[in-house]
Amino acid sequence: MDSESEIAATAAAHAADIEYLVRKNMTSGYQLFSLLTPPIYLAFSLSRYGRSSFSVNRLLRATWIGGAAGIAAAGAFGYVRYGFSSPEHVQKQRIRVTYDTSRLRAEDHSVIGSLLCGVLVPAIFWKRAHIANMVLGGAGIGSSIGLVWHYTRVWTGDVPPKPDLHG
């Protein structure tokens, strides 16, 4: 009876670890695609259709749709990656990701940027785009600004401290 309960506990812990890591992957996917989508869309749109077809509404819509695509792609990738890994490997990854202070600070900056730009973009572009595109696209742009801010701080020497996991 003990072995059945141990197996069930291990399976439950493995499932919880996979869920946590997939959520972290989804967050990273949103950040990355929100960072890459605006310049890619801008270059594609301007080269293909010219300057006359550019609109703030389309740029903001592309930004939040790109972020949503990043969530889906990274979530699927993370689920496949960790779903077929051993429970020991997944547990080590979860501990590494949980205590990664650089990742934590990047997520914090990204959330702060999302909240600020999710409010500021509608205030600035009120008549130029639909409200949903302004809020969601502004959050995506703010997320990328926060991510760039984090990596700028790391590049200038403000590296977050690394925790001691062995002591």
Side-chain angles (χ1 to χ4, degrees), residues 1-30:
M1 197 71 166
D2 282 334
S3 64
E4 288 179 16
S5 63
E6 289 175 8
I7 292 171
T10 302
H14 183 60
D17 291 344
I18 289 172
E19 179 202 351
Y20 179 80
L21 290 170
V22 167
R23 279 189 284 125
K24 290 296 183 178
N25 272 10
M26 292 168 82
T27 301
S28 296
Y30 176 76

Side-chain angles (χ1 to χ4, degrees), residues 109-131:
H109 283 106
S110 180
V111 168
I112 291 167
S114 290
L115 291 173
L116 287 175
C117 285
V119 173
L120 289 176
V121 167
I124 295 169
F125 297 114
W126 185 251
K127 297 285 185 179
R128 297 183 183 263
H130 296 287
I131 188 71

Side-chain angles (χ1 to χ4, degrees), residues 61-147:
R61 182 177 51 219
T63 301
W64 76 261
I65 289 174
I71 290 170
F77 175 76
Y79 185 76
V80 169
R81 178 181 177 193
Y82 297 118
F84 293 106
S85 297
S86 69
E88 294 81 19
H89 173 72
V90 172
Q91 184 180 26
K92 286 179 186 175
Q93 274 298 105
R94 179 179 179 158
I95 290 170
R96 188 188 63 75
V97 167
T98 301
Y99 292 104
D100 185 1
T101 53
S102 180
R103 183 183 190 125
L104 182 65
R105 190 167 81 175
E107 289 175 1
D108 289 347
H109 283 106
S110 180
V111 168
I112 291 167
S114 290
L115 291 173
L116 287 175
C117 285
V119 173
L120 289 176
V121 167
I124 295 169
F125 297 114
W126 185 251
K127 297 285 185 179
R128 297 183 183 263
H130 296 287
I131 188 71
N133 293 338
M134 285 189 290
V135 172
L136 296 173
I141 289 172
S143 173
S144 60
I145 290 170
L147 198 62

Side-chain angles (χ1 to χ4, degrees), residues 10-57:
T10 302
H14 183 60
D17 291 344
I18 289 172
E19 179 202 351
Y20 179 80
L21 290 170
V22 167
R23 279 189 284 125
K24 290 296 183 178
N25 272 10
M26 292 168 82
T27 301
S28 296
Y30 176 76
Q31 292 170 346
L32 179 66
F33 277 58
S34 291
L35 179 66
L36 296 177
T37 300
I40 290 172
Y41 175 78
L42 199 60
F44 172 78
S45 176
L46 292 177
S47 68
R48 175 92 186 223
Y49 304 114
R51 199 171 141 218
S52 64
S53 70
F54 174 76
S55 75
V56 173
N57 188 48

